[in-house]
Amino acid sequence: MILVTGASGTIGSHVVRLLAERGVAFRAMSRHERPDGVRADFDDPESLARAVADVDAVFLVTVPPVPSADHDIALVTAAQAAGVRKIVKLSAIGSGERFDGATVGAWHLAAEEAIEASGLAWTMLRPPSFASNFLWHRPLIQAGDPIPNLTGDSRQAIVDPRDVAAAAVAALTDEAHNGRRYDLTGPDLLTFADQATILERVLQRPVKITDTSTLASLPPDMTTGINWARAGGAAYITDHLPRVLGRPAGTFEQWALDHREAFAATP
Ligand SMILES: NC(=O)c1ccc[n+]([C@@H]2O[C@H](COP(=O)([O-])OP(=O)(O)OC[C@H]3O[C@@H](n4cnc5c(N)ncnc54)[C@H](OP(=O)(O)O)[C@@H]3O)[C@@H](O)[C@H]2O)c1
């Protein structure tokens, strides 16, 4: 039995789909009722104890409102008590790198360290920016307004969230990935402007961008990560996804082609 946290989210929803397609038993965790799952909240230890009961492996997605490892640690504590065997954590590229006197992805790093210290088997998945982040900007794109570019002219190997989910399923179902930390990069290094140009071609409508370094609304931990990426920290490609999946990683263009309709829909 696999517990999928963040099951209604970007990566978790694909993990649920892939597990269902393969006939692997899973429990989808959400703070809301759903037929294939369990209602639980990282802030409610009793609900977490119910979620991990009789679970073999956990796909761990945390999006704390304030960056901290508290949600990960709450899950690890519940998992240890329930005899869970393995945790596959969705982390982020660069976690633990030093930039401008601060630590990139400090909360992900602290969570990874808590998982490693737990004695449970683990796999860490560290993707760069998801192609799907462009869906956040649907209203601006539909209105023809510019979307904010936080990463300047820096390049990143943008990854298809479906590939991240496929890597998660591989790690959840194959012991060969235990103790591995994967940088799940896509196949091409792209600037934000490159991505907008590709999207523009696919959608056949203007996708304008505006450079911004105004990060005041973001917590400091996220600002460090963005500034690290903006300085080129994430400008590299690994062979981790092709090795885990046994096929090339998907391109940003293919993701855009497959999501043309979503950009026309109401967010
Ligand atoms: N976006 C990127 O480019 C990127 C790149 C690298 C790494 N990451 C990492 O990926 C993770 C986010 O993954 P994602 O985009 O798949 O997530 P997401 O789409 O934001 O979904 C996260 C889910 O977590 C659930 N959730 C929120 N608060 C919860 C709580 N207190 N208790 C239980 N569940 C809760 C919500 O589900 P319910 O509402 O159903 O409860 C939500 O759907 C983050 O850790 C981020 O740092 C993101």
Side-chain angles (χ1 to χ4, degrees):
M1 172 61 74
I2 292 172
L3 177 70
V4 181
T5 69
S8 62
T10 304
I11 307 297
S13 58
H14 287 297
V15 170
V16 162
R17 175 180 55 79
L18 291 169
L19 292 173
E21 282 172 11
R22 289 196 192 180
V24 179
F26 69 89
R27 192 180 289 158
M29 180 172 131
S30 170
R31 289 164 301 172
H32 312 281
E33 294 293 345
R34 51 185 286 164
D36 58 353
V38 57
R39 187 172 172 175
D41 190 316
F42 288 116
D43 289 319
D44 175 356
E46 284 180 19
S47 72
L48 278 187
R50 285 194 296 277
V52 294
D54 303 320
V55 160
D56 189 46
V58 174
F59 179 53
L60 180 54
V61 180
T62 51
V63 287
V66 178
S68 104
D70 290 356
H71 286 180
D72 296 82
I73 290 167
L75 188 283
V76 169
T77 304
Q80 282 175 308
V84 168
R85 195 180 47 78
K86 179 171 185 179
I87 294 179
V88 175
K89 171 173 167 63
L90 180 57
S91 182
I93 199 166
S95 297
E97 294 281 329
R98 296 288 296 170
F99 184 77
D100 212 13
T103 302
V104 174
W107 67 274
H108 273 314
L109 181 69
E112 288 190 10
E113 288 173 349
I115 293 166
E116 285 182 66
S118 72
L120 275 61
W122 54 264
T123 307
M124 309 301 177
L125 307 179
R126 292 175 150 208
S129 290
F130 305 157
S132 49
N133 292 352
F134 270 85
L135 289 171
W136 297 338
H137 303 301
R138 254 182 300 185
L140 292 175
I141 293 170
Q142 287 171 353
D145 291 334
I147 55 181
N149 169 22
L150 295 173
T151 50
D153 293 330
S154 68
R155 299 187 301 158
Q156 267 193 67
I158 304 302
V159 68
D160 187 323
R162 297 171 297 187
D163 285 349
V164 177
V169 169
L172 287 162
T173 55
D174 185 344
E175 304 307 317
H177 303 293
N178 289 4
R180 301 291 174 91
R181 191 176 264 103
Y182 294 125
D183 282 355
L184 300 178
T185 62
D188 304 307
L189 287 174
L190 301 172
T191 64
F192 198 74
D194 292 336
Q195 296 164 65
T197 301
I198 292 168
L199 200 54
E200 199 163 67
R201 193 166 63 233
V202 168
L203 300 181
Q204 299 194 344
R205 62 181 302 159
V207 177
K208 300 180 206 157
I209 64 172
T210 179
D211 199 60
T212 176
S213 52
T214 311
L215 304 171
S217 60
L218 290 172
D221 193 53
M222 292 190 68
T223 308
T224 302
I226 288 167
N227 286 338
W228 170 78
R230 197 179 173 101
Y236 62 92
I237 297 172
T238 72
D239 64 354
H240 298 179
L241 256 180
R243 277 202 283 127
V244 171
L245 302 183
R247 60 163 173 81
T251 63
F252 180 78
E253 178 157 22
Q254 189 59 55
W255 178 88
L257 284 164
D258 293 343
H259 292 81
R260 264 176 301 195
E261 302 303 321
F263 284 96
T266 310

